[in-house]
Amino acid sequence: MNGMPTALITGGTSGIGLALAQRLAGGHCLVLTGRGDGAGLPVDALFVKADLSRPEEAVETVASALRSAGVSSLSKLILNAGTGTYAQADAEDAATIRRTLDVNLVASVLMAHRLAPLLEEGRGRLVLIGSVAHRGSANMPSYAASKAGLTGLARSLRAEWDGRIGVQIIHPGPTRTPMHEKAGYDPGGLEKMFFSADAMADEVARLMETGRPGATVIFGARIRRLLTGKPS
Ligand SMILES: NC(=O)c1ccc[n+]([C@@H]2O[C@H](COP(=O)([O-])OP(=O)(O)OC[C@H]3O[C@@H](n4cnc5c(N)ncnc54)[C@H](OP(=O)(O)O)[C@@H]3O)[C@@H](O)[C@H]2O)c1
């Protein structure tokens, strides 16, 4: 890897994560994780295949890939990978609930702990991608619970890592990505109101620059984009 700071994005193969990777590409060495083979990614990156529904194994795979590539510091660890199911509370079986919690929450806790020394070395920052659903949302109970868990994780790590590693949590509002179809949710005409993945990544990148500990990207951001003539 060259002399640029390194940013790692989990779930960097699709949607918001990929759009964010494209924004960071100019000034960072990128490490992207996903479940596929990483073929055809439109950015230059070290790709690490790791299934976060098996969190312990995935975190070891990522740590070992970084070691092999000689990455000893991180300027950004963006825990963005996410999954969920659109279902009523009593319609999710235990395996589905566990998968959502493992990918969104358990893997994030383990990854943050495992890679903290690299963040400290790089005077870096952990960025958790939450969701507006962290406040609770009908028909996505496990997903909402996992994102509420990330809020607690951000607060805890901020206290624990105070002065050593920055911690941010950014909660995107509805965004047009493949996630909705994967979750079994058809937003219908509502989708027109959603942010594009590019617009959401612009907002996330802007918020990362501010260093604010927590932020939600919803209507204020849309209004700002309309006022500045940027498409949402
Ligand atoms: N879209 C929205 O409306 C919205 C709103 C609020 C928050 N968010 C959050 O934003 C983040 C990005 O979501 P997105 O909308 O960009 O969705 P997306 O396009 O479906 O991308 C999700 C990413 O997570 C990865 N991922 C999913 N399950 C995984 C697993 N088991 N192991 C490893 N990687 C896995 C996916 O990799 P594969 O390609 O291998 O599946 C993909 O790269 C998520 O945390 C999501 O909860 C999204």
Side-chain angles (χ1 to χ4, degrees), residues 29-138:
C29 292
L30 289 176
V31 182
L32 306 180
T33 83
R35 285 177 299 179
D37 59 9
L41 280 174
V43 285
D44 187 20
L46 169 67
F47 176 76
V48 183
K49 180 183 167 93
D51 185 344
L52 298 169
S53 67
R54 297 197 298 275
E56 297 98 319
E57 192 183 313
V59 168
E60 284 315 310
T61 300
V62 171
S64 147
L66 293 177
R67 221 176 15 254
S68 302
V71 177
S72 56
S73 69
L74 288 174
S75 77
K76 294 183 182 70
L77 172 59
I78 304 170
L79 299 182
N80 158 81
T83 190
T85 308
Y86 189 76
Q88 288 175 354
D90 60 358
E92 284 185 299
D93 60 22
T96 309
I97 295 167
R98 274 199 200 98
R99 189 173 59 245
T100 299
L101 293 173
D102 276 342
V103 173
N104 298 1
L105 184 58
V106 178
S108 298
V109 181
L110 291 175
M111 195 78 81
H113 282 142
R114 187 74 170 79
L115 300 185
L118 279 75
L119 279 174
E120 193 163 8
E121 183 65 30
R123 296 173 181 275
R125 183 176 328 143
L126 172 69
V127 180
L128 300 172
I129 301 298
S131 167
V132 284
H134 79 107
R135 292 177 177 279
S137 190

Side-chain angles (χ1 to χ4, degrees), residues 10-18 33-36 47 50-54 58 79-84 99 103-104 129-133 143 146-147 150 170-180 182 194-195 197 200:
T10 65
T13 55
S14 171
I16 299 168
L18 178 56
T33 83
R35 285 177 299 179
F47 176 76
D51 185 344
L52 298 169
S53 67
R54 297 197 298 275
L79 299 182
N80 158 81
T83 190
R99 189 173 59 245
V103 173
N104 298 1
I129 301 298
S131 167
V132 284
Y143 179 77
S146 71
K147 296 297 186 177
L150 288 182
I170 298 173
H171 298 291
T175 309
R176 282 189 299 278
T177 71
M179 192 182 82
H180 301 285
K182 292 181 206 168
F194 290 5
F195 285 90
M200 182 55 69

